[in-house]
Amino acid sequence: LATLRGVPHSRGRTLRRFACSEHVHMSDGKLTAGHILMVCSGVPPPELQQLADKGAWRVTRVDSTAGVLRRLRRETDIDVVLLCPEPPCRPYTELCRDVKFDARTAFISIVFALPPAGELSRADVYACGADDCIELPAPPAEITLRLSNTSRLKRATDSLEDATFVVSSLANAI
């Protein structure tokens, strides 16, 4: 941790590790890999339950798609929305479209975790605007890496957004 230094960020306190360019968040004095909003109407698959159990991710679980868009607008520290669709799948694909078409939430990463015999295909998931799709069952290491990459992309986008704001503010001041 000696190689960490604070980097200002509009969405909360963020630290950058120079050795591997990986971002981590401070949450209640504890380092976490990011904040995941997991939307599962039933019990989450065991592969995804491990995310919360390990403690590396701050996972908030909600039981339905109702109110998720409003929550994303209100809570700006959410890095990834992890959707675990169960039939009927239409509310999940509609939520994904709503998030991606709303200018305030368009850059939040959406990842679908598809069950083995689900009614959605990978093509359906990407057609509704998802950033990634994990077909279950999947090894825990793959799930962790894919969520880390998605979270890193979200934070890079946030950094560009912040840089654009700073440059625009300086240009206006001149």
Side-chain angles (χ1 to χ4, degrees), residues 48-124:
L48 301 179
Q49 185 61 39
Q50 291 176 0
L51 292 172
D53 294 343
K54 287 183 180 177
W57 297 89
R58 193 173 93 196
V59 179
T60 305
R61 190 172 166 271
V62 294
D63 294 328
S64 78
T65 58
V68 170
L69 185 62
R70 192 171 346 156
R71 184 178 193 153
L72 292 173
R73 290 177 187 152
R74 193 177 61 241
E75 297 177 29
T76 59
D77 68 331
I78 296 172
D79 297 311
V80 179
V81 176
L82 180 59
L83 300 175
C84 310
E86 293 185 11
C89 293
R90 184 179 177 123
Y92 294 93
T93 56
E94 288 178 357
L95 172 63
C96 183
R97 283 187 186 101
D98 291 344
V99 169
K100 292 301 182 177
F101 286 127
D102 187 324
R104 295 170 285 184
T105 59
F107 295 123
I108 294 175
S109 298
I110 305 282
V111 177
F112 273 80
L114 294 181
E119 66 182 67
L120 282 177
S121 69
R122 291 172 63 91
D124 296 332

Side-chain angles (χ1 to χ4, degrees), residues 1 3-27 30-35 56-58 79-80 144 147-160 162:
L1 295 177
T3 60
L4 298 175
R5 77 172 171 90
V7 175
H9 194 275
S10 68
R11 307 214 189 272
R13 184 171 176 185
T14 301
L15 300 172
R16 167 177 270 154
R17 185 180 315 202
F18 292 110
C20 63
S21 297
E22 183 178 334
H23 288 78
V24 289
H25 283 294
M26 286 293 288
S27 173
K30 179 176 150 184
L31 291 175
T32 61
H35 188 181
W57 297 89
R58 193 173 93 196
D79 297 311
V80 179
T144 301
L147 289 173
S148 294
N149 288 339
T150 306
S151 181
R152 191 176 308 124
L153 179 65
K154 160 75 166 66
R155 291 195 198 115
T157 304
D158 287 347
S159 294
L160 287 174
D162 292 345

